[in-house]
């Protein structure tokens, strides 16, 4: 009995979908627009996260050690820093490597090159390049470096300079920008999602409005609420599936066209690469969103016409 009812309801849904061609096409276009907004929010969020990660990766602090600091003490301090939960990555630059890098940067400056020859020894100390997980965590790392952890065997600090204080203003500004961008992204996403849902719901409600007399007749002859509501819910689900397919087809040329711009201009990921690598996940999200949007909107819209 259940399968018989389901077959009848499905047949009625397909009949309504094909019979109301203009109304069904309008609903598909609106639902496709809503799903395109959803997909744009997902992909835009990926671009935003990638761009913010690129900004975070450019923020760091450098620890410069005294020339007479023993390498064992420097490496021991580096090991202690790695144990901090705030530290993401540490790069150790030895005195020898620092001199090589310095000479390479000033290879065209004959004065500096000659000065190094006259000195006869390496005037540079070792250093550590430290990256934190979040820009706001550099303060605690700097305080750790100012504590007894930076003392050598003789009780003197082996650290000559930490450039956090010099870069503090820039780091704090970047931290504020990142936090503001994340908050703004969430607000914009919610606003666009609410707008898309509201427009889709009103469009489906208008489409069901054209069938209000048919619903009233079915209720008068004794049709149950589920039998009346069923075709519209299936029709809404079908519209969600078709809209998801249309959007995925439309996203391919769009992501291909703007892919290089997103990576070159924004410094983040290539949106085309993101689309191809997350194709099935994105399609699954759109299918579920489209079906949920179509069925829930149809369920709520037809409810007001079930009372005779």
């Amino acid at each position: 009995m259940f399968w018989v009812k389901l077959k009848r309801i499905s047949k009625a849904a397909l009949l309504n979908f094909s019979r109301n061609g203009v109304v069904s096409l309008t609903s598909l276009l609106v639902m496709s627009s809503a799903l395109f907004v959803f997909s744009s929010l997902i992909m835009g969020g990926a671009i935003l996260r990638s761009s913010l990660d690129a900004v975070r990766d450019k923020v760091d602090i450098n620890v410069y050690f005294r020339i007479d600091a023993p390498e064992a003490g420097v490496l021991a301090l580096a090991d202690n820093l790695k144990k901090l939960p705030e530290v993401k990555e540490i790069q150790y630059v030895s005195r020898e490597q620092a001199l090589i890098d310095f000479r390479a940067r000033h290879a065209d400056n004959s004065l500096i090159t000659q000065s190094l020859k006259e000195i006869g020894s390496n005037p540079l100390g070792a250093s550590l390049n430290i990256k934190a997980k979040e820009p706001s965590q550099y303060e605690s790392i700097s305080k750790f470096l100012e504590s007894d952890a930076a003392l050598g065997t003789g009780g003197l600090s082996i650290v000559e300079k930490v450039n956090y204080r010099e870069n503090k203003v820039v780091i704090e500004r970047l931290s504020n920008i990142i936090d503001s961008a994340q908050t703004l992204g969430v607000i914009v996403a919610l606003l666009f999602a609410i707008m898309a849902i509201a427009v889709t719901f009103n469009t489906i409600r208008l489409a069901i409005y054209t069938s209000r007399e048919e619903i009233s007749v079915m209720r008068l002859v004794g049709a149950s609420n589920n039998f009346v509501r069923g075709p519209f819910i299936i029709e809404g689900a079908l519209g969600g599936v078709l809209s998801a397919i249309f959007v995925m087809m439309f996203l391919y040329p769009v992501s291909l066209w703007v892919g290089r711009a997103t990576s070159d201009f924004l410094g983040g990921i290539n949106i085309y690469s993101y689309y191809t690598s997350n194709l099935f996940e994105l399609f699954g999200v759109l299918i579920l969103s489209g079906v949920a949007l179509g069925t829930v909107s149809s369920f709520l819209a037809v409810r007001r016409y079930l009372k005779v």
Side-chain angles (χ1 to χ4, degrees):
M1 190 64 179
F2 170 77
W3 296 109
V4 174
K5 288 184 178 180
L6 181 61
K7 183 178 179 180
R8 291 176 179 175
I9 291 174
S10 301
K11 184 177 180 180
L14 294 174
L15 181 62
N16 290 338
F17 190 83
S18 59
R19 183 178 58 186
N20 302 324
V22 176
V23 177
S24 299
L25 180 60
T26 304
S27 300
L28 280 177
L29 290 175
V30 173
M31 193 174 296
S32 297
S33 300
L35 293 182
F36 180 75
V37 171
F38 290 157
S39 62
S40 299
L41 293 175
I42 294 173
M43 300 172 79
I47 294 175
L48 178 61
R49 289 191 297 271
S50 178
S51 300
L52 293 179
D53 288 340
V55 173
R56 288 191 184 97
D57 195 55
K58 294 179 181 178
V59 180
D60 58 19
I61 61 174
N62 295 303
V63 183
Y64 301 97
F65 294 91
R66 297 165 57 93
I67 298 176
D68 57 352
E71 186 177 27
V74 175
L75 295 177
L77 179 58
D79 290 336
N80 291 333
L81 283 168
K82 290 179 182 179
K83 297 177 183 179
L84 296 178
E86 299 88 353
V87 174
K88 176 183 178 182
E89 180 184 350
I90 295 180
Q91 181 182 5
Y92 169 65
V93 180
S94 65
R95 293 187 62 202
E96 294 75 16
Q97 186 62 45
L99 182 59
I100 294 173
D101 295 340
F102 185 82
R103 283 176 172 168
R105 287 195 303 268
H106 301 88
D108 298 331
N109 194 321
S110 58
L111 180 60
I112 294 180
T113 304
Q114 185 63 31
S115 299
L116 288 175
K117 290 181 179 179
E118 292 180 359
I119 293 174
S121 60
N122 186 357
L124 303 177
S127 64
L128 294 176
N129 179 272
I130 305 173
K131 293 184 182 296
K133 296 178 180 178
E134 296 292 339
S136 58
Q137 296 173 334
Y138 283 109
E139 177 76 28
S140 60
I141 296 175
S142 177
K143 290 181 179 179
F144 176 82
L145 292 169
E146 295 172 355
S147 65
D148 294 341
L151 296 180
T153 55
L156 298 176
S157 176
I158 60 176
V159 175
E160 180 177 354
K161 178 183 176 183
V162 180
N163 68 348
Y164 169 74
R165 301 300 173 187
E166 300 173 2
N167 302 335
K168 182 177 180 180
V169 175
V170 176
I171 293 175
E172 289 179 347
R173 287 179 180 176
L174 285 175
S175 180
N176 292 333
I177 291 174
I178 291 173
D179 293 339
S180 299
Q182 290 176 331
T183 303
L184 181 62
V186 172
I187 294 175
V188 171
L190 289 176
L191 288 177
F192 274 100
I194 292 173
M195 291 172 58
I197 293 173
V199 172
T200 304
F201 171 73
N202 287 326
T203 303
I204 293 178
R205 186 173 65 175
L206 181 62
I208 294 177
Y209 176 78
T210 61
S211 304
R212 64 190 185 283
E213 294 181 358
E214 179 182 348
I215 295 174
S216 299
V217 172
M218 294 176 66
R219 291 290 291 120
L220 287 173
V221 298
S224 64
N225 289 345
N226 290 334
F227 189 84
V228 175
R229 186 187 290 121
F232 296 102
I233 293 178
I234 293 179
E235 187 176 350
L238 178 61
V241 173
L242 293 177
S243 298
I245 295 174
F246 293 157
V247 170
M248 290 299 296
M249 294 174 60
F250 181 71
L251 283 176
Y252 177 81
V254 171
S255 61
L256 181 62
W257 180 49
V258 302
R260 180 170 295 180
T262 57
S263 59
D264 295 343
F265 178 72
L266 298 175
I269 60 174
N270 186 307
I271 199 64
Y272 175 72
S273 300
Y274 178 84
Y275 171 82
T276 54
S277 60
N278 296 275
L279 180 65
F280 295 105
E281 292 83 351
L282 185 60
F283 184 55
V285 170
L286 291 183
I287 285 285
L288 293 176
S289 300
V291 171
L293 187 59
T295 55
V296 173
S297 298
S298 299
F299 179 87
L300 296 176
V302 77
R303 185 175 57 178
R304 63 176 299 182
Y305 303 113
L306 292 178
K307 299 178 181 179
V308 180

